[in-house]
Amino acid sequence: MGKKLFSLLVVLMSLSLIGIIFVQSFFINNTYKNEEKQFISDVKRSLISVSKAIEDKELLSYNKLYREAIENGRTPDTSEIKQLLIFESYNEETNQAIQFRNAISEESFKVPSLFIDIGTDSINISRITNFSETKIFERSTIDGQLSMNPVQTFSDYSTMDDVGRRIFKDNYKKVYRNYPVYKRITNEEVSELLESEFSISGIETAFEYAIYDKDLSTKIRSENFEKDAESTIGIPVFRDNENKSKFALYVDFPERRKYLLSSLLGMIILSIVFTSIIIIAYSSAIYQLIKQRQISQIKTDFINNMTHEFKTPIATINLALDSIKNPKIIGDQEKVMRYLKMIKEENKRMHAQVENVLRISKLEKNELNISKERLELHELVEDAITHVELLVEDRKGFVKLHLEADKSSVLANETHFTNVIVNILDNAIKYSDDAPKIDVYTENVGNNILLKISDQGNGMSKQVQKKVFEKFYREHTGNVHNVKGHGLGLSYVKRIVDDHQGHISVESEKGKGSVFIIKLPLIS
């Protein structure tokens, strides 16, 4: 896959993921707003029912006084015809006249205010009565004058009709409109009505309430009520005959947001879970793709390096063999032996490269059995130095020992751990442009021993330090083959140190050298 195509796929996948997250957030936000609108609608509908219930309760109180006055036979103070309808007709065949009258009368009574506490000794109530009467007259002429003689009379006092009820309600509202609100309703009654209506509407959350007289709070309120222009919902109560009121019932829900979110909790959790799975899967896929590209590039470099490493000895062997076959050379025993030695050395070199690769492969598969015994780390260090001593001297460099640890007994494999130290020393030599200058330190830290191998070579950047122990990794310096190797040495070092329950790290600065630090547990 080309770099441009890979980058395009990553961008498209990232945009798609961001789009999915945006759509989910937009959907949840819209659902929350719809739930909030429905909640406000339910609250307002409940408050309308509560307002009507409060007015009905007051009407019933007034009606109770009205019935008492009538049942006790009180004499009205006044009697007034509120509405009168007269209809007349004449039938010539029967010589009879029909007269229909319909009236609503109002009678006022003054009664003690024993049934409700309104702050006065007595109140005026009114009885509204429907009066209907039908009379039939017969026309006759007596002494030349027209006379109307009643023949039949029908009368009916029935219950009030709609007009009567309206007049009745108007009267009761006039009676109560100037009374303090706390004498018209109690906190307990308001609380019970609100709880009942909210329960019917399915609103199961804590609320606070208050009745305000215009902009002033009254005694009818809950303890923790606070009016908030954004969250408080109100509706008029105790409306007058013109459907207006100076009183308003307000409710507020302290846990409103939490209550609304609780209804969406399941959807939000599922959305977060599934979105997280998609993000994790996407991130993992991108990581694996990038890793595979890196591995592919590293393996390509490894193959190139291995080819280069084998190409030189193979060419040397071929030249040596061609020389030996030369009739002039084959008779020269000394030259033949020198060429045979060259062939053996190059063959040994190739064999060592193959063994190194196989050793790493076995380590990864846990097939390499590493037996351990009690060893002195100082002795392993001194032995490893003898393997590189000639190379250092040839380049006019030095290796200085600073073995200051009092205890150096460790449980280790002699061959493999010697190879670990040799590999680090070999890197210090290869990555020093000038004469290699190497210092080796040991010290005891608690129940551990620290081995530090410091050089004054090229050093490495922070980015390289993070990857230096990865398999096949080699720092690019413009010329792939300017330093011999195939990126397996330090990977092998780390695997062996880990197998010895140790820890290896590197401290380095570009152009100022590197320090490799190995920490191993001591044995008593």
Side-chain angles (χ1 to χ4, degrees):
M1 185 186 298
K3 187 175 181 180
K4 289 184 178 179
L5 179 59
F6 177 77
S7 300
L8 179 62
L9 286 176
V10 171
V11 170
L12 290 176
M13 290 170 67
S14 300
L15 290 175
S16 299
L17 181 60
I18 293 170
I20 289 172
I21 295 172
F22 175 78
V23 169
Q24 288 279 3
S25 302
F26 179 78
F27 176 75
I28 291 174
N29 186 54
N30 270 4
T31 304
Y32 176 82
K33 288 181 178 178
N34 290 336
E35 286 288 329
E36 189 172 34
K37 288 179 182 178
Q38 184 62 46
F39 176 80
I40 293 172
S41 176
D42 291 342
V43 170
K44 286 185 176 180
R45 186 167 56 251
S46 299
L47 289 179
I48 290 171
S49 299
V50 170
S51 176
K52 186 176 182 305
I54 291 173
E55 292 176 2
D56 288 346
K57 176 188 175 299
E58 201 166 57
L59 178 61
L60 289 174
S61 298
Y62 183 79
N63 190 49
K64 185 176 181 182
L65 293 176
Y66 169 81
R67 289 200 308 271
E68 280 291 323
I70 302 303
E71 290 171 3
N72 291 337
R74 293 182 180 277
T75 303
D77 294 338
T78 61
S79 181
E80 180 184 358
I81 300 298
K82 288 290 186 183
Q83 183 176 350
L84 179 64
L85 174 64
I86 300 176
F87 175 76
E88 292 183 316
S89 67
Y90 174 70
N91 191 327
E92 293 182 354
E93 294 180 0
T94 60
N95 198 31
Q96 289 182 339
I98 301 174
Q99 184 186 72
F100 171 77
R101 293 197 309 162
N102 184 29
I104 299 173
S105 63
E106 177 184 356
E107 298 172 300
S108 297
F109 300 84
K110 182 170 287 189
V111 298
S113 56
L114 301 176
F115 305 106
I116 54 174
D117 179 16
I118 56 175
T120 60
D121 296 331
S122 63
I123 64 170
N124 289 325
I125 66 170
S126 299
R127 176 170 67 179
I128 309 300
T129 307
N130 275 29
F131 173 75
S132 298
E133 182 181 68
T134 304
K135 288 184 177 182
I136 299 175
F137 298 89
E138 190 176 70
R139 298 179 66 178
S140 62
T141 304
I142 301 175
D143 297 331
Q145 293 183 350
L146 182 63
S147 175
M148 301 289 288
N149 299 315
V151 177
Q152 284 182 301
T153 300
F154 303 94
S155 59
D156 177 38
Y157 292 92
S158 61
T159 58
M160 290 175 283
D161 59 8
D162 291 340
V163 176
R165 289 193 186 97
R166 180 176 61 79
I167 296 173
F168 184 83
K169 289 179 72 174
D170 287 349
N171 284 329
Y172 108 79
K173 287 181 179 180
K174 289 176 184 178
V175 170
Y176 285 96
R177 66 183 175 184
N178 294 321
Y179 296 143
V181 68
Y182 68 90
K183 290 183 177 292
R184 302 175 69 174
I185 193 76
T186 64
N187 271 308
E188 291 75 13
E189 289 171 332
V190 174
S191 179
E192 288 176 5
L193 286 171
L194 288 171
E195 284 182 7
S196 175
E197 289 300 328
F198 287 157
S199 178
I200 292 170
S201 298
I203 301 171
E204 302 291 341
T205 183
F207 64 89
E208 302 292 337
Y209 67 89
I211 293 180
Y212 272 62
D213 183 351
K214 295 182 180 177
D215 292 328
L216 300 176
S217 177
T218 67
K219 293 182 179 180
I220 306 302
R221 59 176 295 142
S222 56
E223 292 182 5
N224 300 318
F225 178 82
E226 291 183 6
K227 192 175 180 182
D228 188 338
E230 293 185 1
S231 62
T232 302
I233 304 171
I235 196 168
V237 290
F238 301 120
R239 289 169 294 184
D240 58 20
N241 297 328
E242 296 178 357
N243 210 31
K244 296 179 181 179
S245 176
K246 64 178 181 176
F247 297 107
L249 172 61
Y250 292 101
V251 289
D252 187 61
F253 299 88
E255 298 181 353
R256 172 173 165 177
R257 185 176 180 82
K258 182 179 178 182
Y259 172 73
L260 292 174
L261 286 175
S262 66
S263 62
L264 304 175
L265 187 61
M267 181 175 65
I268 292 173
I269 290 174
L270 287 176
S271 178
I272 291 173
V273 168
F274 291 138
T275 303
S276 299
I277 291 172
I278 292 173
I279 292 173
I280 292 170
Y282 168 75
S283 302
S284 178
I286 294 297
Y287 175 78
Q288 292 299 327
L289 284 171
I290 294 172
K291 198 72 175 175
Q292 288 299 321
R293 280 180 57 82
Q294 290 176 344
I295 291 172
S296 177
Q297 184 62 45
I298 288 170
K299 284 184 176 180
T300 301
D301 291 345
F302 169 71
I303 292 170
N304 290 337
N305 289 328
M306 287 296 291
T307 302
H308 182 79
E309 293 289 336
F310 284 122
K311 188 175 180 180
T312 301
I314 290 171
T316 303
I317 291 170
N318 284 334
L319 287 172
L321 289 173
D322 289 340
S323 298
I324 291 172
K325 287 191 292 183
N326 190 324
K328 294 180 180 180
I329 300 297
I330 198 168
D332 189 336
Q333 188 70 19
E334 184 180 347
K335 287 185 178 181
V336 169
M337 292 303 297
R338 185 162 65 87
Y339 286 132
L340 288 175
K341 186 179 179 181
M342 286 175 61
I343 292 170
K344 184 177 181 180
E345 289 295 330
E346 293 301 325
N347 183 64
K348 184 179 178 181
R349 179 179 167 188
M350 287 191 295
H351 180 73
Q353 298 281 22
V354 172
E355 283 296 321
N356 208 6
V357 174
L358 292 176
R359 190 162 55 238
I360 289 293
S361 177
K362 286 183 178 181
L363 272 174
E364 288 190 339
K365 296 178 181 178
N366 294 319
E367 294 177 356
L368 190 65
N369 294 320
I370 302 176
S371 59
K372 302 181 185 73
E373 57 183 325
R374 181 191 183 97
L375 297 171
E376 292 295 325
L377 183 61
H378 288 171
E379 294 178 3
L380 294 178
V381 170
E382 290 169 353
D383 184 39
I385 289 174
T386 61
H387 287 75
V388 298
E389 199 168 24
L390 291 176
L391 292 174
V392 174
E393 289 177 359
D394 185 58
R395 294 187 55 189
K396 312 300 182 183
F398 63 81
V399 178
K400 290 184 180 179
L401 295 178
H402 309 273
L403 307 180
E404 299 176 357
D406 295 329
K407 299 177 182 178
S408 66
S409 297
V410 294
L411 191 64
N413 180 278
E414 183 176 2
T415 302
H416 286 291
F417 211 85
T418 300
N419 286 338
V420 165
I421 301 171
V422 169
N423 275 335
I424 296 174
L425 291 171
D426 188 49
N427 272 358
I429 296 168
K430 287 194 294 185
Y431 288 96
S432 293
D433 293 336
D434 300 325
K437 300 173 183 178
I438 303 170
D439 291 278
V440 180
Y441 303 86
T442 62
E443 63 176 298
N444 292 128
V445 179
N447 293 324
N448 300 289
I449 184 170
L450 293 185
L451 171 62
K452 297 181 181 180
I453 300 175
S454 172
D455 65 66
Q456 300 177 33
N458 301 336
M460 62 188 86
S461 64
K462 296 292 183 183
Q463 185 179 1
V464 174
Q465 290 177 50
K466 294 177 182 177
K467 300 180 179 180
V468 73
F469 294 109
E470 293 180 8
K471 189 173 67 169
F472 303 127
Y473 180 79
R474 295 180 73 234
E475 183 180 7
H476 289 275
T477 57
N479 179 5
V480 175
H481 306 298
N482 62 339
V483 177
K484 304 294 184 182
H486 37 68
L488 292 174
L490 290 179
S491 173
Y492 166 75
V493 165
K494 180 168 174 55
R495 293 300 297 267
I496 295 297
V497 171
D498 289 344
D499 187 76
H500 283 71
Q501 286 75 50
H503 177 265
I504 184 168
S505 61
V506 61
E507 297 175 359
S508 183
E509 188 175 346
K510 196 73 174 175
K512 294 186 178 181
S514 304
V515 180
F516 284 86
I517 304 168
I518 297 174
K519 182 180 180 181
L520 288 174
L522 291 167
I523 59 172
S524 58

